[in-house]
Amino acid sequence: MNSRVRALFGRVFRNTGYLLTGKGATAALALGSTAIAVRALGLEEYGILLLINAFTSSCSVSTRFQSWQPLLQYGGTAFKRADKSGFQTLLRHCAVLDGLGAVVALAVAVIFSQVLGQALGWNATAYGHMPLWYLTVVLFMNAGSAIGVMRLTNRYELSVLGDTVAGFVRFLGCIVGFFLHWSLIGFLALWYASFVASFVLDGLIALWVLAHTDGLKGFRLVNVPWLSPIQGLWRFTFSVSVDQALSRLASRLTVLIVGVVLGPQSAAIYNVTWQISDGMARPAQMMTPALYPELVALRDKRDWASIRQVTNRILQALGAFSFVVIVAAALVGPWLLHVLLTVPWSGTRTLLLLMTTTAILDLWDVPLEPILVSLNRAHQLLFGRMATMCFSLPLLYVFATLWGMTGAGVATLLSELGIFLSRLGPYLLMNRHRNFQNSQEDTLHPSLAKERNGD
């Protein structure tokens, strides 16, 4: 392993540690907030709070542009060269994407809330127009461009502060609400405030980072171009955003299909089993956002040898980690499922091993997806996911009908196998060429393209 690759792994593991620490703190605070809120509101009203928040979050996620990815994909060269004009135009472009996604999310939330309001447990007679004002929280749910600035400048320790602060606001607010006997409206206001706090903090940190970065000071939002002319930017943004939206949609539809075919109890077992399996693989999956900017930097340097070396090293490490996950799932998983859902151990081990294998296949995307995205193959990832969804959802319905929970587990495994092959195939084809020929030419910033042509 050469010195450049060793330094890269050092940064990746350090930044992954920051992300895991932030996620862990946020998860712990969320558990504490849930316990207190349930005791303050009662299970029924807390359930309404949860459904309202889940609905608004789904509207935000499904219409969100992954603006941090185009910022890293196209902004690295301009950033490293202190090209203030080019980088700041791209940053404003990404901010426009965040704003556009938020406005669309609000429109979607307002429209669908009129249809789904009664089904999700709220109504004007009991709660007035409370959910309507809460829907505006979608305007503060996405700070993708700010997160992109922190990741591009290698300030991952700052990128987790927004979510952590939101967790603290909710936790401390729940304690106050418990002693002051807040109603459901009070807790909704608390959840709203936590999103606003996270959004504002992320924005302020991003501006602070820009102000303290040599050559990029003086960022402004007036009398300047808003949209970047970089070729391929819109196609790239559309591909990565729709791919992520379909991924989240598929996970929700999968649980829904299992519930329709096998009933709500089976849907709960299936969903929690997947959460256990995915949770065991989560530490390694957190490498993806830390790895992506490093691969973009290697691409800009045309260091194909290091890209191959990084990929091989990560796949070797994932092989060992996968074995540990399988053993842990077999030994601990059934007991954990029994504790959470009070279901018998018998009959759960097969499903758990199937779902764990599925999570491991998803885990092996850790190096492949960021490599393909950095080499401008995001559209292939999207086509692969769309094709897989076309066969996997009907297959899940058929297999669950024929073989119950085991059939659902097999169908889920086959679906993830399709996703994995749709990533592995393009990578192997590119890897046949010494320099990943024609894989990234249209991703480049114009200044880098001129340099390569000798201008």
Side-chain angles (χ1 to χ4, degrees):
M1 187 185 301
N2 61 46
S3 58
R4 177 180 295 176
V5 173
R6 282 197 297 270
L8 182 151
F9 274 109
R11 291 191 298 271
V12 167
F13 286 117
R14 182 181 67 249
N15 292 334
T16 301
Y18 290 139
L19 295 176
L20 284 173
T21 300
K23 290 290 185 181
T26 302
L29 290 168
L31 288 175
S33 299
T34 297
I36 298 172
V38 167
R39 286 158 177 77
L41 292 173
L43 188 58
E44 181 178 354
E45 287 205 336
Y46 175 75
I48 295 175
L49 169 67
L50 187 65
L51 287 173
I52 293 174
N53 189 63
F55 170 74
T56 53
S57 298
S58 297
C59 292
S60 175
V61 167
S62 62
T63 59
R64 177 179 302 171
F65 291 100
Q66 300 294 320
S67 59
W68 68 271
Q69 287 194 268
L71 186 62
L72 269 63
Q73 178 80 353
Y74 298 98
T77 301
F79 172 76
K80 291 176 182 177
R81 296 181 173 207
D83 178 5
K84 181 183 297 187
S85 176
F87 178 79
Q88 293 188 356
T89 298
L90 178 61
L91 179 56
R92 282 186 288 269
H93 184 108
C94 294
V96 168
L97 293 179
D98 288 343
L100 179 61
V103 171
V104 174
L106 180 59
V108 170
V110 170
I111 293 171
F112 281 93
S113 68
Q114 305 306 309
V115 179
L116 298 176
Q118 294 288 341
L120 294 178
W122 71 72
N123 59 78
T125 302
Y127 301 109
H129 296 291
M130 163 193 54
L132 293 180
W133 63 259
Y134 186 78
L135 295 180
T136 60
V137 76
V138 297
L139 299 175
F140 305 97
M141 284 186 166
N142 183 22
S145 54
I147 296 297
V149 167
M150 288 179 260
R151 290 177 177 175
L152 186 63
T153 55
N154 201 36
R155 301 304 301 269
Y156 281 76
E157 75 279 11
L158 299 179
S159 68
V160 300
L161 291 181
D163 287 342
T164 305
V165 166
F168 271 112
V169 169
R170 290 186 189 180
F171 180 71
L172 296 177
C174 284
I175 295 175
V176 174
F178 177 80
F179 287 106
L180 296 183
H181 306 290
W182 283 357
S183 66
L184 178 58
I185 294 178
F187 278 89
L188 273 176
L190 171 63
W191 255 245
Y192 196 115
S194 69
F195 283 113
V196 174
S198 176
F199 181 85
V200 172
L201 181 60
D202 283 334
L204 291 176
I205 291 175
L207 291 175
W208 181 86
V209 169
L210 286 175
H212 290 78
T213 301
D214 293 338
L216 293 178
K217 300 177 182 179
F219 179 77
R220 54 197 177 99
L221 295 174
V222 295
N223 299 323
V224 289
W226 277 94
L227 297 180
S228 174
I230 296 176
Q231 182 181 2
L233 175 59
W234 284 104
R235 184 182 72 164
F236 174 84
T237 304
F238 176 81
S239 297
V240 296
S241 300
V242 175
D243 180 64
Q244 290 298 313
L246 289 179
S247 175
R248 293 180 174 91
L249 178 62
S251 64
R252 287 162 173 77
L253 288 177
T254 297
V255 176
L256 180 62
I257 291 173
V258 172
V260 169
V261 175
L262 301 176
Q265 181 178 355
S266 295
I269 295 173
Y270 175 91
N271 188 49
V272 173
T273 302
W274 169 248
Q275 290 177 343
I276 292 173
S277 303
D278 186 60
M280 293 180 181
R282 181 63 59 182
Q285 291 170 345
M286 294 302 297
M287 288 178 61
T288 298
L291 181 62
Y292 177 62
E294 302 291 346
L295 293 174
V296 171
L298 292 177
R299 178 209 67 191
D300 289 345
K301 296 174 182 176
R302 300 176 67 83
D303 189 353
W304 313 122
S306 291
I307 289 179
R308 286 188 175 88
Q309 191 173 13
V310 167
T311 305
N312 293 336
R313 292 285 184 175
I314 291 178
L315 289 176
Q316 291 170 11
L318 289 178
F321 184 78
S322 299
F323 176 77
V324 173
V325 171
I326 284 285
V327 172
L331 297 178
V332 181
W335 171 81
L336 187 58
L337 193 63
H338 173 72
V339 170
L340 291 174
L341 294 179
T342 64
V343 296
W345 286 37
S346 59
T348 61
R349 191 182 300 274
T350 300
L351 177 64
L352 189 63
L353 291 177
L354 287 170
M355 300 298 272
T356 303
T357 306
T358 301
I360 287 174
L361 281 177
D362 184 46
L363 185 64
W364 282 61
D365 275 350
V366 166
L368 297 180
E369 183 172 337
I371 284 177
L372 293 173
V373 171
S374 66
L375 296 176
N376 200 39
R377 296 302 180 100
H379 59 287
Q380 292 188 346
L381 303 184
L382 174 60
F383 293 152
R385 188 174 298 280
M386 293 174 65
T388 302
M389 286 182 65
C390 288
F391 84 80
S392 64
L393 294 178
L395 191 68
L396 174 64
Y397 183 89
V398 173
F399 278 25
T401 302
L402 294 176
W403 300 301
M405 296 291 287
T406 300
V410 172
T412 305
L413 175 59
L414 292 176
S415 173
E416 190 58 45
L417 178 61
I419 294 292
F420 174 70
L421 292 177
S422 72
R423 278 122 169 95
L424 180 63
Y427 172 75
L428 292 178
L429 289 175
M430 289 189 303
N431 199 40
R432 293 170 58 187
H433 302 285
R434 183 179 61 84
N435 61 345
F436 292 96
Q437 182 179 349
N438 296 326
S439 62
Q440 39 57 331
E441 296 302 324
D442 59 347
T443 73
L444 304 175
H445 191 278
S447 61
L448 183 58
K450 289 181 181 179
E451 180 183 283
R452 292 188 182 181
N453 292 327
D455 294 341

